[in-house]
């Protein structure tokens, strides 16, 4: 039996996914040694990221060919905007980051480029391309969360909670649903289109790696 | 002060840095490395290709009076692509199949994401700044380049009086749009004005010094090819290259 397209995409991006698991930011989060200063960068930039990520789900609602898919994307959009953003604000407060800090944080170059890439792909691509751009985040966080949860939880409860969230079954179910959508929508694409989907999937995967890198090192626009 | 004058004043140090970029002065003085110029040609060709759908997003949102001039620009862009192809042929540069540099990729995503997501006035700001940056930049080159230089046709294209008229027209229209915009939209327009300038500087920097996709030291290289391919064989330290173009070095 041939592999589902999401399996082929994963195989193509696997070195990048492995590199994410080995990234010092991810390792540090897992064993609790990550400096708070570095993690704060993630909290701030991810908040900006989430807003654009939500926009991609809005496009998915607009583009989904089936009612049950539209409904599901709409519920994820609602969950992201009206629950996850609030959770993020509550979580940020545990690091002394206020809602105003979150709202006024400028996008760093990598966040800007990644989210522009997502929005652009969601806007001018069909459903398979949109999903190829989304999956490395949605699926990748579940993948990383699960990998970290297999090890001993870090002492810092804030990091342990982060891992528990992304390792949760709820999160895994959402990632799994997205993969099913992709496997169905892209089941009969031409080889040229599959190559394009693979490029998009790999680019988003690379941006995921870059996001850890950005949070590890810090990044700024000049001026 | 008009919106355009206000913004150009606010970002003057950045604008000056762009105009004194070594890519421009070396091209003007005839000392530009051929390979650097070829890098610019390949990347700018990709950029102009992406500018076509960007303009289309603008036309879709444009007020009626704006549609005809923007539509004519589509034709102007097509002529620009031909100019690139003719020059490439003349100097033996292969334009086809070059993967986008990271800077070119990011700038193109910025352009298109703005076209799809932002208001007409916001996206128009990006168009104006990109065109204005090119007019001002190539005017610097025009001030000293040998007319026999193989690069002179590019200089002619973007420093021509017709192009100046177009850029001035865009500026006037942008000022009108800014008058109609509310405070929040004007703030977003100002931010896009600055961001576009940063990307323009990054583009010259990329052409002069090259850039590579960051992350190659993580040991992954899927070896993609094609229009959106992103990987280069380059063993230089990526942390030295990622976004180097937008980091304005040196003190003001």
């Amino acid at each position: 039996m041939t592999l589902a397209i999401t399996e082929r995409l994963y195989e193509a991006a696997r070195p990048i996914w492995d590199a994410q698991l080995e990234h010092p930011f991810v390792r540090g989060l897992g064993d609790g040694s990550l400096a708070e200063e570095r993690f704060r960068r993630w909290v701030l930039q991810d908040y900006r990221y989430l807003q654009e990520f939500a926009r991609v789900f809005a496009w998915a609602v607009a583009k989904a060919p089936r009612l049950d898919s539209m409904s599901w994307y709409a519920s994820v959009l609602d969950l992201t905007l009206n629950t996850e953003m609030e959770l993020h604000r509550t979580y940020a407060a545990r690091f002394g980051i206020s809602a105003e800090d979150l709202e006024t944080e400028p996008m760093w170059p990598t966040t800007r480029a990644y989210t522009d890439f997502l929005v652009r792909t969601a806007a001018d691509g069909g459903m398979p391309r949109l999903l190829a751009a989304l999956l490395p985040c949605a699926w990748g966080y579940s993948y990383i969360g699960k990998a970290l949860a297999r090890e001993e939880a870090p002492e810092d409860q804030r990091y342990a909670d982060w891992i528990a969230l992304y390792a949760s079954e709820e999160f895994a179910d959402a990632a799994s649903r997205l993969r099913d959508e992709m496997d169905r929508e892209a089941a009969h694409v031409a080889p040229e289109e599959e190559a394009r989907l693979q490029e998009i999937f790999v680019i988003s995967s690379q941006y995921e790696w870059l996001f850890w890198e950005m949070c590890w090192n810090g990044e700024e626009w000049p001026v | 002060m008009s919106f355009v004058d206000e913004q150009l004043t606010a970002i003057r140090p950045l604008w000056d840095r762009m105009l004194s970029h070594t890519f421009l002065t070396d091209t003007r003085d005839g000392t530009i490395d051929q390979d650097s110029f070829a890098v610019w040609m390949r990347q700018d060709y990709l950029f102009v290709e992406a500018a076509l759908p960007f303009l289309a997003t603008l036309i879709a949102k444009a007020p009626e009076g704006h549609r005809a001039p923007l539509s004519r620009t589509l034709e102007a862009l097509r002529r620009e692509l031909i100019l690139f192809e003719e020059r490439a042929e003349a100097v033996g540069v292969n334009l086809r199949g070059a993967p986008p540099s990271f800077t070119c990729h990011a700038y193109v995503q910025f352009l298109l994401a703005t076209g799809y997501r932002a208001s007409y006035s916001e996206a128009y700001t990006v168009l104006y700044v990109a065109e204005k940056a090119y007019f001002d930049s190539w005017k610097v080159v025009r001030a000293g380049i040998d007319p026999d230089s193989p690069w002179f046709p590019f200089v002619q294209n973007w420093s021509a009086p017709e192009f100046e008229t177009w850029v001035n027209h865009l500026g006037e229209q942008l000022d009108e749009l800014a008058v109609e915009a509310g405070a929040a939209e004007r703030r977003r327009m100002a931010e896009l004005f600055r961001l576009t300038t940063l990307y323009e500087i990054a583009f010259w920097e990329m052409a002069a010094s090259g850039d590579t996709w960051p992350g190659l030291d993580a040991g992954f290289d899927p070896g993609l090819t094609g229009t959106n391919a992103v990987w280069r064989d380059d063993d230089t330290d990526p942390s030295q290259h990622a976004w180097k173009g937008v980091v304005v070095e040196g003190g003001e």
Side-chain angles (χ1 to χ4, degrees), chain B residues 12-29:
Chain B
R12 179 56 60 189
L14 278 177
W15 203 261
D16 289 344
R17 177 139 341 228
M18 175 179 75
L19 297 185
S20 59
H21 198 280
T22 107
F23 183 89
L24 299 174
T25 53
D26 285 357
T27 305
R28 178 194 66 201
D29 300 340

Side-chain angles (χ1 to χ4, degrees), chain A residues 27-165:
Chain A
R27 299 291 336 141
L29 192 52
D31 65 21
S33 66
L34 181 64
E36 185 171 325
E37 184 200 350
R38 298 187 203 269
F39 190 73
R40 286 172 60 91
R41 296 171 184 149
W42 180 87
V43 174
L44 288 161
Q45 289 299 308
D46 196 59
Y47 189 76
R48 295 303 311 270
Y49 175 87
L50 268 179
Q51 293 175 45
E52 303 307 312
F53 184 76
R55 242 185 259 285
V56 177
F57 277 97
W59 254 293
V61 176
K63 292 187 174 192
R66 296 155 45 129
L67 183 61
D68 70 317
S69 300
M70 285 176 79
S71 307
W72 185 71
Y73 291 129
S75 66
V76 175
L77 178 61
D78 176 40
L79 196 70
T80 306
L81 286 177
N82 300 317
T83 304
E84 207 179 336
M85 299 295 284
E86 177 55 30
L87 281 175
H88 204 101
R89 285 188 287 269
T90 310
Y91 186 66
R94 294 166 73 184
F95 293 86
I97 298 170
S98 70
E100 194 192 346
D101 294 337
L102 290 167
E103 298 293 344
T104 55
E105 170 75 2
M107 267 193 192
W108 285 353
T110 295
T111 312
R112 159 71 58 179
Y114 187 8
T115 55
D116 280 346
F117 172 69
L118 288 178
V119 167
R120 171 266 162 106
T121 305
D124 68 13
M127 277 310 288
R129 291 190 185 192
L130 181 155
L131 289 164
L134 264 190
L135 272 167
C137 177
W139 181 8
Y141 267 63
S142 173
Y143 181 87
I144 289 167
K146 293 259 188 213
L148 295 182
R150 279 194 286 273
E151 294 161 29
E152 198 181 332
E155 273 183 33
D156 190 324
Q157 193 55 41
R158 299 171 302 181
Y159 291 173
D161 288 348
W162 188 99
I163 294 167
L165 171 68

Side-chain angles (χ1 to χ4, degrees), chain A residues 12 15-16 19 52 55 59 109-110 112-113 115-117 119-121 123-124 196 198-200 202-203 206-207 209-210 213 219-223, chain B residues 14 102 105-106 108-110 112-113 116-117 194-195 198-199 213-215 217-220 222 224-231 243 246-248:
Chain A
I16 307 173
E52 303 307 312
R55 242 185 259 285
W59 254 293
T110 295
R112 159 71 58 179
T115 55
D116 280 346
F117 172 69
V119 167
R120 171 266 162 106
T121 305
D124 68 13
R196 185 75 186 92
Q198 186 180 309
E199 283 184 354
I200 292 169
V202 166
I203 290 172
Q206 195 190 9
Y207 271 124
W209 183 89
L210 267 176
E213 186 76 354
E219 200 178 68
E220 270 184 3
W221 292 93
V223 257
Chain B
L14 278 177
F102 188 59
H105 161 88
V108 164
Q109 309 314 309
F110 168 69
L112 292 171
Y116 291 122
R117 176 183 49 203
R194 198 179 66 88
L195 275 172
L198 291 176
Y199 274 120
W213 275 65
D217 64 344
F220 43 84
L224 297 174
T225 55
T227 54
N228 217 24
V230 295
W231 307 89
W243 296 106
V246 294
V247 177
V248 179

Side-chain angles (χ1 to χ4, degrees), chain A residues 148-192:
Chain A
L148 295 182
R150 279 194 286 273
E151 294 161 29
E152 198 181 332
E155 273 183 33
D156 190 324
Q157 193 55 41
R158 299 171 302 181
Y159 291 173
D161 288 348
W162 188 99
I163 294 167
L165 171 68
Y166 292 112
S168 69
E169 280 318 300
E170 190 187 5
F171 214 82
D173 287 347
S176 170
R177 170 70 189 251
L178 265 184
R179 288 171 59 185
D180 291 345
E181 291 284 332
M182 179 67 162
D183 286 331
R184 191 185 65 241
E185 293 299 326
H188 303 293
V189 298
E192 295 78 15

